[in-house]
Amino acid sequence: MSTTASRGIRAGRASVVRQVRRLSLAGVLVGLLGASVVSVTSPAAAAEVPLSQGRDAIVSSAERGDLSAAAAVDGKTGTRWSSKFSDPQWLAVDLGKSTAIKKIVINWENAHATAFQIQTSAGGNGPWKTVYSTTAGKGGVQTINVSATGRFVRLYATKRSGQYGVSLWEFQVFGTGSGTSTPTPTPTTSTTPKPSATPTTPKPSVTPTTPTPAGGWVPVNQAEWKKTLDAYNKVAPEAVPAGIVRVPEFHTNCEVANEAKDDPVVLPGLVGASHMHTFFGPKVNANTTVDDLFASPTNCDAPGDHSAYWAPTLLRNGKTVPMKNFRVYYGSRLKDPSTVKPFPPGLVMVQGDAKRQVATPKGASGQFWCAGSAETGRSADGNWPVCAPGGNLIYQLSFQDCWDGKNIDSPDHKSHMGPAKDGACTGAYPVAIPNISLMLGYDSLGGDGLALSSGLASSIHGDFMNAWKPENLGALVKVCINAKAKCGTTPGWKK
C-alpha cells in the first residue's frame, strides 16, 4: 500500500464474509480480564495453529472483494484484508465457542492502525469489552498478551496511520485449544436446528424472540407461524368486481424515516459500522429488532405495515440525493398466485449484492432508469442515465418469492429464500410468499457525480424486515394476490 502500483494489485472493496444476522450465536461470556504487555516479535511458531484460522470473520468494509475478511484468517501471509479509507474500521472473528484467549498476533501491512482496541464478547453483536487499547500503534508484527474469555474477538481500529484504510496480512488469536483448531463447517438447510419445543408465546402481532442457533440459521417459531396461517385462513375471499385489473398486487407507500451508517440485519448491534443506508417506514438503527418495529410509529400508509425497508443512500458528489417517492409492490410472479401465503413472523431478506462493483453501461443488466421521461444520454462514466425534464431516476429491486419453510434468516440473509422453478415454489423452497419490489424514486435527472454509499450502481441492494400485523397481511394476500386482483393499500378496491 506504499505505492499506487502496489495498491492496484492488492486494492479491495466492500466485502462481508458470512454475513450473519445475529452473530450472537450461543456462547457464554465467562469473564474478561485486562490486557498486559505488547511487544514487537515474530509470529507464533508454525506448529501452533491459531484458534482463529479458517474461522468465520466479518469486517466493517473492504477496499475490494479480494481483500476480504477471510484473507486475514487464512494462515497465509500473502493475502490480506484492507478496509475503506475512513475511521473507524473493524474485523471480528468467531472462534466457534467460548474460549480462554491468551494472545493476539497482528501482522500489519504498511497501512496500519495507530489507535485500536482488542475487544471480546460472548456474542457477535456485543456487548464488547476492551481487553487491550493503544493510541501509539507502530505496525509491523505485534504480539499482544491478554487474559480473557470469549467467543468473538474484534480488532476495532479508530485511527489510521495514513490516507489509506487499515490493512493486515493476518489476525491470529491463540488460547486454549490452539494447535487443534477446526473451522466451523458452513451450515446447510439439511442441518438446520429445529425450533424449541416450547417457544415463547408473545402478544398477538408481535414476533417472538427465538434463540439464534449456531451458523446463523434462525428457525421460524412454528407456533407463531401457525397463528399467522390461521388468521389468513379465516379471511373470506371476495368477489372481484368487473373492471378491476386482474394482476395479483397490492402496495404500501413509505417516506424516508432516517439515514444512518447502520444495518440491523447484516451488522446487528454495530452502530456506525455500515455504509450509509436510507430507511423507510419506522426509524431504524443498528439495534432494531422486529419487536421494536411493532412498537414504533411508521410512515407507511398500508394499515398494519410496520415493516422496515432500506437501501444504500444515493449520493451526488458526496451529498445525499433526496427521494421523490418510495413504493413497495407486493405481488406474485407464479403461475398460480392462489398458492401464495403470508410472510412468516420475523422474516428478514436481503436482495442484491453490496460487494458487486462492475460497470453498468447502457444495455447492461440491473439498470437505473428514467421514469416519466426518456433517457437522453449517459453520465461520463457510463453508469447512470440522463433523464429528460419531467422525469426522474428510479430503480426497481425485486426479491425472491419462494421460502424454505423452515428459517426466517440465514447466514447470508439470502439462503433461506430461492427462486421459483417452472412458475412454482418447489424443492428446497416450497412455500410461496408475496414477491416484494422496492420502487426507489429519486428527485434527480441522473447524470454525472452519482454514486451509491456502497459504491457503483451495480452494488444496489435492499433489506426487508417483516413487521406486518398478521391480520392485515393475511387479508391482503387472500383478497388481492390469491384472487389475482389489483388492490391499493387495503384489501379491496376502495383505494
Side-chain angles (χ1 to χ4, degrees):
M1 201 173 287
S2 57
T3 66
T4 302
S6 64
R7 296 194 64 78
I9 296 172
R10 303 189 303 264
R13 66 153 174 92
S15 170
V16 175
V17 174
R18 302 281 326 263
Q19 296 175 344
V20 178
R21 178 179 183 265
R22 286 287 180 195
L23 279 175
S24 51
L25 320 171
V28 179
L29 184 59
V30 177
L32 296 172
L33 303 177
S36 59
V37 183
V38 177
S39 60
V40 178
T41 67
S42 298
E48 187 180 15
V49 179
L51 294 170
S52 52
Q53 189 162 311
R55 291 288 182 180
D56 293 339
I58 187 169
V59 292
S60 53
S61 70
E63 218 184 329
R64 195 178 62 208
D66 57 330
L67 304 183
S68 66
V73 292
D74 61 3
K76 302 175 184 178
T77 56
T79 61
R80 64 184 176 94
W81 164 57
S82 182
S83 77
K84 288 187 174 180
F85 307 163
S86 61
D87 296 319
Q89 299 291 340
W90 53 262
L91 178 147
V93 182
D94 178 5
L95 302 180
K97 63 181 179 179
S98 186
T99 305
I101 301 164
K102 304 299 183 184
K103 181 175 62 177
I104 308 293
V105 177
I106 309 174
N107 187 349
W108 295 101
E109 200 253 358
N110 290 339
H112 62 279
T114 58
F116 66 91
Q117 302 169 1
I118 300 297
Q119 302 171 328
T120 58
S121 176
N125 64 330
W128 295 95
K129 183 167 183 177
T130 299
V131 298
Y132 170 75
S133 180
T134 184
T135 57
K138 299 185 183 301
V141 178
Q142 287 183 278
T143 297
I144 303 170
N145 296 316
V146 300
S147 179
T149 302
R151 172 168 178 166
F152 293 84
V153 181
R154 182 168 75 166
L155 165 68
Y156 192 82
T158 55
K159 186 175 181 180
R160 294 162 290 140
S161 60
Q163 62 178 314
Y164 301 118
V166 292
S167 179
L168 51 87
W169 301 105
E170 282 293 295
F171 181 76
Q172 298 176 313
V173 180
F174 296 89
T176 303
S178 290
T180 59
S181 176
T182 302
T184 304
T186 302
T188 64
T189 51
S190 63
T191 59
T192 301
K194 295 181 179 179
S196 170
T198 57
T200 303
T201 302
K203 296 178 181 179
S205 299
V206 177
T207 302
T209 300
T210 304
T212 306
W217 294 91
V218 182
V220 65
N221 185 309
Q222 294 292 344
E224 292 305 312
W225 174 224
K226 182 178 183 302
K227 288 182 181 179
T228 297
L229 292 178
D230 288 345
Y232 159 77
N233 289 327
K234 289 178 181 178
V235 177
E238 295 184 14
V240 180
I244 295 301
V245 177
R246 300 311 296 265
V247 174
E249 179 184 287
F250 64 90
H251 66 258
T252 186
N253 301 295
C254 309
E255 297 177 3
V256 174
N258 65 297
E259 292 180 353
K261 291 184 176 181
D262 292 343
D263 191 327
V265 169
V266 176
L267 299 169
L270 300 175
V271 177
S274 175
H275 49 258
M276 186 70 74
H277 282 109
T278 301
F279 296 92
F280 305 90
K283 188 174 181 179
V284 171
N285 60 48
N287 297 300
T288 297
T289 66
V290 173
D291 288 344
D292 294 330
L293 298 179
F294 278 114
S296 301
T298 179
N299 58 44
C300 295
D301 63 356
D305 182 18
H306 284 256
S307 303
Y309 314 87
W310 61 95
T313 303
L314 180 64
L315 307 170
R316 184 186 294 278
N317 299 322
K319 296 183 178 181
T320 298
V321 175
M323 301 298 301
K324 183 174 183 179
N325 47 53
F326 176 80
R327 172 174 285 190
V328 185
Y329 284 104
Y330 288 80
S332 176
R333 299 176 292 188
L334 305 179
K335 290 180 180 178
D336 183 5
S338 69
T339 61
V340 175
K341 301 293 188 294
F343 301 116
L347 180 73
V348 298
M349 295 187 287
V350 173
Q351 185 65 34
D353 186 359
K355 301 185 296 296
R356 187 169 185 263
Q357 305 287 339
V358 299
T360 51
K362 186 174 182 178
S365 61
Q367 289 280 291
F368 281 74
W369 47 282
C370 297
S373 71
E375 177 180 321
T376 60
R378 303 292 291 183
S379 59
D381 62 11
N383 294 321
W384 304 90
V386 176
C387 304
N392 68 280
L393 191 67
I394 195 168
Y395 191 87
Q396 180 177 4
L397 184 67
S398 294
F399 287 65
Q400 300 285 14
D401 40 15
C402 296
W403 174 49
D404 69 4
K406 302 174 183 178
N407 305 286
I408 57 173
D409 199 5
S410 53
D412 60 359
H413 319 295
K414 298 178 181 180
S415 295
H416 57 304
M417 305 298 302
K421 293 183 179 180
D422 298 323
C425 294
T426 60
Y429 305 101
V431 182
I433 60 173
N435 167 246
I436 297 177
S437 286
L438 307 186
M439 300 296 294
L440 296 151
Y442 300 94
D443 190 7
S444 170
L445 294 177
D448 293 337
L450 292 176
L452 292 170
S453 59
S454 53
L456 295 181
S458 58
S459 70
I460 184 68
H461 57 282
D463 295 56
F464 167 69
M465 185 181 287
N466 174 38
W468 275 92
K469 292 183 178 180
E471 55 271 26
N472 296 93
L473 180 61
L476 285 162
V477 171
K478 179 67 71 69
V479 174
C480 308
I481 292 180
N482 291 165
K484 198 175 181 179
K486 183 177 178 64
C487 299
T489 60
T490 58
W493 301 273
K494 294 180 181 180
K495 66 174 183 177

